[in-house]
Amino acid sequence: MKYKIAVLSGDGIGPDVTEESVKVLGSIAKKFGHEFAFEYEDVGGISIDKCGIAITEETLGRCLDNEAILFGAVGGPKWDNPKNDVRPEDGILKLRKELDLFANIRPAKVYESLIDSSPLKKDILKDVDFIIIRELTSGLYFGEPKKRWSESGNRVAVDTLKYNEEEIRRVVKVGFEMARKRSKRLHSLDKMNVMATSRLWREIAEEVSEEYDDVELIHMLADNAAMQIITNPSVFDVIVTENTFGDILSDEAAVIGGSMGMLPSASLSSVPGEKQDKVSLKPALYEPIHGSAPDISGKGIANPMASILSVAMMLRWSFDLYAEANCIENVIDSLIKEGIRTKDIAIRGHDFLKTYEIGDLISERVANYEN
Ligand code: IPM
Ligand code: MN
């Protein structure tokens, strides 16, 4: 079968790591007898340089013709002036909105053999393996008004935090679906003691929970959750929360394992597990959690594993290729266990492999993989 993937590698180390993911997909194709067709498009700073905006309408249109999007990273010092009207980040925000990618899934997995790189104590990290589901197409990121003006020489700005019940319901449902497949425990984070949107969030979460009486719903204030993520992270299994809380807490969660370079993410436009009419289904987007890291781009030292693991998520969720997804994840697990490292997670005094060497090695192990 042929699968169509749009590749938007973007800026900084985006292209470095994405190239390795495409390489690994080539190996998966051979091993399992599939065909992947790649369509390369610009996004972020590189698109600003070429076309004046972070993503063009043509690119958006072509993304819709594909079944999944492999995204690298956007941004860099060249485009960082806060006074600029166009920003590389507009590219990913536009994609999220136009493709209705409302559910962002970010796993916070702690690899046993990487625990020493974590800033936290070992015993706190025992059995930590949770996922954050972040609402991705509403809230402060998109609410109107969003603007800046001047009142008698005093500069003022406003962002708007707004949610409607449907936006809350669909993402909370994703939380329940995921929790149902895991430990049947869902933490819903909000600030209901302060915010009207949070009180609506809590109300809707309660309503949705009636359809899932096998799943325990636990409400927690987001600030308390920020504390629990570093003091007691093993209490979490599935977390669901709004856009901005999810942005901040998922970065926090990503570093506790000591390996930001290992964490993938998926942004989906449907509730996994709910049968959809394939034709109306928009492509999902898969990207590493790390950013463009311009300081190390092109040096061949970036860790491509987060991007390659994002491909595993793509195989599983966009293409239903479970054996293929497991193959990639198991290969990476075993590399890490064997002490094979990139620079970011290198063991002090030990060698590490370059970006392309990791890509080659994973491709080779995929080719020789036996279940
Ligand atoms: C992320 C990033 C983005 C966000 C930026 C690049 C717009 O930080 O994916 O978490 O804030 O959502
Ligand atoms: Mn972020």
Side-chain angles (χ1 to χ4, degrees), residues 333-345:
D333 259 342
S334 63
L335 288 192
I336 292 296
K337 278 202 193 104
E338 288 165 40
I340 294 165
R341 298 283 187 270
T342 38
K343 188 160 190 261
D344 54 317
I345 49 174

Side-chain angles (χ1 to χ4, degrees), residues 189-237:
L189 313 185
D190 60 44
K191 279 286 290 178
M192 68 82 75
N193 49 350
V194 183
M195 283 153 45
T197 43
S198 283
R199 287 190 280 273
L200 180 62
W201 184 281
R202 214 173 253 222
E203 197 175 312
I204 302 301
E206 281 296 331
E207 285 172 21
V208 177
S209 80
E210 281 167 27
E211 297 162 39
Y212 295 87
D213 47 10
D214 52 330
V215 177
E216 183 192 2
L217 172 65
I218 304 151
H219 300 287
M220 190 182 269
L221 295 177
D223 49 352
N224 180 20
M227 189 176 74
Q228 303 279 340
I229 286 174
I230 44 168
T231 53
N232 199 13
S234 61
V235 298
F236 297 112
D237 187 56

Side-chain angles (χ1 to χ4, degrees), residues 157-201:
V158 66
D159 291 292
T160 301
L161 176 47
K162 180 176 165 192
Y163 270 100
N164 66 44
E165 61 175 282
E166 199 35 54
E167 290 167 332
I168 299 171
R169 185 170 293 115
R170 62 183 187 170
V171 74
V172 167
K173 265 188 156 186
V174 174
F176 276 103
E177 287 293 332
M178 296 271 164
R180 180 170 265 177
K181 292 195 192 102
R182 293 173 54 113
S183 71
K184 301 190 164 39
R185 219 163 8 100
L186 176 65
H187 281 85
S188 170
L189 313 185
D190 60 44
K191 279 286 290 178
M192 68 82 75
N193 49 350
V194 183
M195 283 153 45
T197 43
S198 283
R199 287 190 280 273
L200 180 62
W201 184 281

Side-chain angles (χ1 to χ4, degrees), residues 96 106 134 141 246-248 250-251 260 289:
R96 288 173 182 169
R106 301 186 162 190
R134 166 188 174 194
Y141 278 63
D247 177 44
I248 297 166
S250 63
D251 264 33
M260 188 96 163
I289 280 187

Side-chain angles (χ1 to χ4, degrees), residues 5-26 38-41 43 69-74 286-288 290 302-308 310-311 314 355 359:
I5 302 169
V7 181
L8 279 67
S9 55
D11 309 314
I13 60 170
D16 306 17
V17 297
T18 308
E19 197 183 328
E20 302 312 314
S21 292
V22 170
K23 193 190 273 176
V24 171
L25 273 169
F38 301 104
E39 179 167 347
Y40 291 83
E41 299 290 341
V43 69
I69 300 170
L70 178 59
F71 191 90
V74 289
Y286 300 85
E287 60 174 319
H290 62 71
N303 184 350
M305 287 187 260
S307 177
I308 297 169
S310 303
V311 161
M314 176 191 291
T355 311

